[in-house]
Amino acid sequence: MGRLVQARAADVEVLAGVLASAYRDDPVWAWLMPRDREWRLRLLFRGHLAQQIPYGRVWTDEGRRVVCVWAEPGAWKLPTAYLLRNGGTLVRAGRGQLPRVGARLLALERRHPRVPAHWYVEFLGTRAEAQGTGLGGVVLGGLLERADTDGRPVFLESSNERNLGFYQRLGFVTERRLTFRSGPDMWAMWRHGKRS
């Protein structure tokens, strides 16, 4: 099936395409970016992956068909310097919906749990034509094994109710449904794993 591979700078373009393909029909992203979605997502993810790869936070499979952006405990919050460096990209990708995009990102950050210290699945996506093949489970499963060894829990927000069963099969439990003033709901999920 493949194995877990740490992404390199040379992978940014192809992996941005994977995430854009994966999130193209996602309810939250469809609401945030109703037009030119795949192009705008590719732009947004290109900038984000370029910033995260040097820190070792981006993982994929050998065929570059799945991507997981995975932050270590204490590193889930994006620093102000990151936002300043990527401000132009956010403006170009957000366009007329920039206030909506910014409001959702800020709302998620405010609701992100501070304790316990945890690993964070920021994004997980499989190229549309490879979805349902088990690749997402291979990549995320490999990272979850690392979290189990470390003994700390893993947290994520799912933006698509259709994916809850996938995460539950990997040991995640839905903690709560996240509702907002506008736009689709999301789901906060924890996986407490095993202590070694």
Side-chain angles (χ1 to χ4, degrees), residues 4 59 68 70-73 117-121 139-155 170 172 190-196:
L4 186 64
W59 297 83
C68 186
W70 167 265
E72 62 274 15
H118 57 275
W119 295 89
Y120 177 50
V121 181
V139 170
L140 184 54
L143 294 167
L144 293 174
E145 286 177 18
R146 294 170 185 219
D148 287 346
T149 299
D150 176 59
R152 292 189 234 196
V154 182
F155 177 75
L170 290 169
F172 285 89
W190 282 98
R191 181 183 184 275
H192 293 285
K194 307 170 236 177
R195 292 204 177 264
S196 295

Side-chain angles (χ1 to χ4, degrees), residues 34-67:
R35 288 177 295 287
D36 304 321
R37 186 174 317 116
E38 193 159 356
W39 175 84
R40 292 164 71 189
L41 285 170
R42 185 183 290 267
L43 178 65
L44 189 69
F45 286 129
R46 187 183 302 132
H48 189 61
L49 292 170
Q51 294 289 321
Q52 297 299 319
I53 284 175
Y55 293 100
R57 295 181 182 141
V58 181
W59 297 83
T60 186
D61 67 306
E62 292 170 311
R64 308 309 193 259
R65 294 162 292 177
V66 62
V67 182

Side-chain angles (χ1 to χ4, degrees), residues 77-156:
K77 187 173 180 177
L78 295 175
T80 303
Y82 170 91
L83 298 173
L84 292 173
R85 278 193 305 273
N86 286 295
T89 299
L90 287 169
V91 168
R92 284 193 312 279
R95 290 188 176 173
Q97 284 76 38
L98 186 60
R100 182 186 287 187
V101 172
R104 179 56 65 104
L105 293 175
L106 287 173
L108 282 174
E109 184 175 305
R110 280 194 302 273
R111 295 178 188 196
H112 194 109
R114 275 34 180 190
V115 291
H118 57 275
W119 295 89
Y120 177 50
V121 181
E122 185 177 10
F123 294 104
L124 176 67
T126 303
R127 185 175 293 284
E129 59 271 13
Q131 289 175 3
T133 62
L135 286 169
V138 168
V139 170
L140 184 54
L143 294 167
L144 293 174
E145 286 177 18
R146 294 170 185 219
D148 287 346
T149 299
D150 176 59
R152 292 189 234 196
V154 182
F155 177 75
L156 64 82

